[in-house]
Amino acid sequence: MLGIPGILELTMEYQIFLLILVFAFIPRTILGLNVTTGKIVVDGTTKIAETDENFICFTLDIWPHDECSQPNLCVWDGHASMLNMDLSLPILNKAVQAFKTLRIRVGGTLQDRLIYNIGDGFKGNCNPFEAHKGLLFDFTEGCLYMERWDDLNNFFNNTGAIVTFGLNALLGKYNTKGIQWEGNWNYSNAEALIKYTVEKKYNINSWEFGNELAGPNSIGASVSASQYAKDLLKLRQIIDRLYKNSQQKPLIVAPGAFFDDKWYDELVTKTGSNVVSALTHHIYNMGAGDDPKLIYRFVNPTYLSQVSNTFRQLKNIIEKHAPWASAWVGEAGGAYHGGGLHISDTFINSFWYLDQLGMAASYNTKVYCRQTLVGGYYGVLRTKTFIPTPDYYGALLFHRLMGSSVLKVDNNVSSYLRTYAHCSRGRSGVTMLFINLSNTTEFTINIENHMNLSLHKSKPKHSSSKNVGTQREEYHLTPQNGLLRSSTVLLNGKALELTNEGEVPDLTPVYRDSNSSISIPNWSIAFIVIPDFVAIGCN
C-alpha cells in the first residue's frame, strides 16, 4: 500500500503527463513564443558520409490474418500482411510509385517460421499460420505459396520497388536451452525459392538472412555468431551458383538484429570478405507503444541523441574489420509492439523519424527501412484506408530532396533545433533539414558556407562568408491546428491530402530570397533547398 509520499509522487508524475498531453493539443498560436536568432555553418568542402541513392525504405511484414484473435496483439490489422494484403489497390500502388524507386524490405519476426511451397524442403507440409501458445513466437509454421510470390513480384515490378527479402534462417535448427538454437541450417527450401526466383527472372536486390537472432538481444530465438557465419557461407555459395549467369548478383544482408558489438564483430571476422554486403540492425529506441511516458521522448533532444552510439559503434566495426560491407537499418519503428496509438501515425512521430534519417545518414548508413509500409500503428499508410500519414510525406520529401552526400553542420544555436545538410538530390546546391522540438521558441537562422580558398581566392583560407544567391525553396511541415497528435500534416500551411483520383498531391515549395534569414516555427519541420549554395564536396 502506498504511503503519502508515494501518492504525492504518483500525483506529480500524473500531472506532468497531463501537461504534456495538454501541450500536444494546444495550438501554437496560443503559447507565448520566444524568437532565437542564430548562425549555422555548413562545410561544403567535403562530404562526411554517403547514403545509397535509395536510402528510404519501408517494410512489409508477415503477421498473419488471424493475429488479432489474440487480444494483447490486436494492434495489427488483419489484412496488412504481405501474405494477404490487396496488392491490386490503386491507392497502394500510387503511394509506392510516387517514390519512383522505393526500397521495400519483406520480413519480420515470422520470417523464421515461413516455409515456401516449392522444392523438397517443404515436403508437402505448407499450411497457413495458426496461433498456437507455447510454440516459437506462439505460431505454427506458415506458408508462402508460389502464387503469392508471383503476385508480390508483379507488384514490385509494377511499382518500381527495390526488394530485400528475408529468408528463414532457423529451418533445420533445434532449441537446446532457453532461447538458444543450434544445428546447421537446412538450406534446401530457401535454395528452391531462390532457384524459382532466378528462373522467373524476378529482380530481388538482396536476400536477408534471419530476423533478430543475434546475441543477447535476440527475440524468441538466438543463434551463435559462429553458427550464423557458417550458415551465411552456405548462402553465399548458393547465390554464387544460382546467379552465375545473371547480369546482376543480389546482395546478402544480415543479420537483421538488434546491435551487439561483440556478436557483430565475431560475425564479420568469421565470414570474411565479400560474404555479407550489408550489416543490418534494428532500432526501437522510443520504448513500448503502450508506455504512458512515450510522448515525452519525441521532444527530448537528449533522449533522441542516445541512439547515435549504436550508429557510431557499427560504423567503427565496418571501418576496422569489414570495409567491404555497409551499414543498413533493416527495421525501425520507433516504438515497439506495433507502435503507439495516436502517436506513431501522427505528426509528433515525424520528430523521431526524420531525426533518425538525418542522424543515420551522418554515420554512413546506406539504407534506412521504416517499419512499416502498412501495418500496426507505425505504418506510413493507414491499414484500412491506405491514406498516408505525416511520416509518409516526410519520407517522400527526404527522398526527393536530400541527395546521397552528407555534409558537416556546425549548430551551436540550440539542442532543440536538429539540423542536417545533404547535397541536393539531382541538382546543384545543398538541402537542409531542420526539426524544431521546442514548443516555445521560434528560430531565425542565418546559413553560412565554410568556404575554401579554391572557391574564392579573395577570401582567407577556411573563412566563412554568407551565401550569395537569388531564391531558395522552403517546405515547412506543421501539424493541423498546431496539434502534435494530428493525423494531418500541413505543407506551407496547406493540408496534404490525396486527390480525388487517389494521387499523391504535389509537394509545392514557397520561395524566399537566398540571402534572407530562415524562420523555423516552434514544433515544426522544414526542408530548405539552396540551389546556389557553393559546395565543392557535392561535385
Side-chain angles (χ1 to χ4, degrees), residues 75 286-295 297 334-344 377:
V75 300
M286 301 305 284
D290 58 358
D291 185 345
K293 297 181 181 179
L294 177 65
I295 195 168
R297 299 173 188 140
Y336 55 86
H337 290 165
L341 177 62
H342 303 317
I343 293 178
S344 296
Y377 300 134

Side-chain angles (χ1 to χ4, degrees), residues 15 18 49 82 102 105 117 211 261 286 370 398 412 422 499-501 513 523:
Q15 288 175 339
L18 284 180
M82 70 91 168
L102 175 66
R105 178 252 183 176
N117 75 325
N211 183 81
D261 56 345
M286 301 305 284
R370 164 66 183 270
F398 196 107
N412 296 315
H422 287 211
T499 68
N500 292 335
E501 294 74 32
D513 181 3
W523 276 346

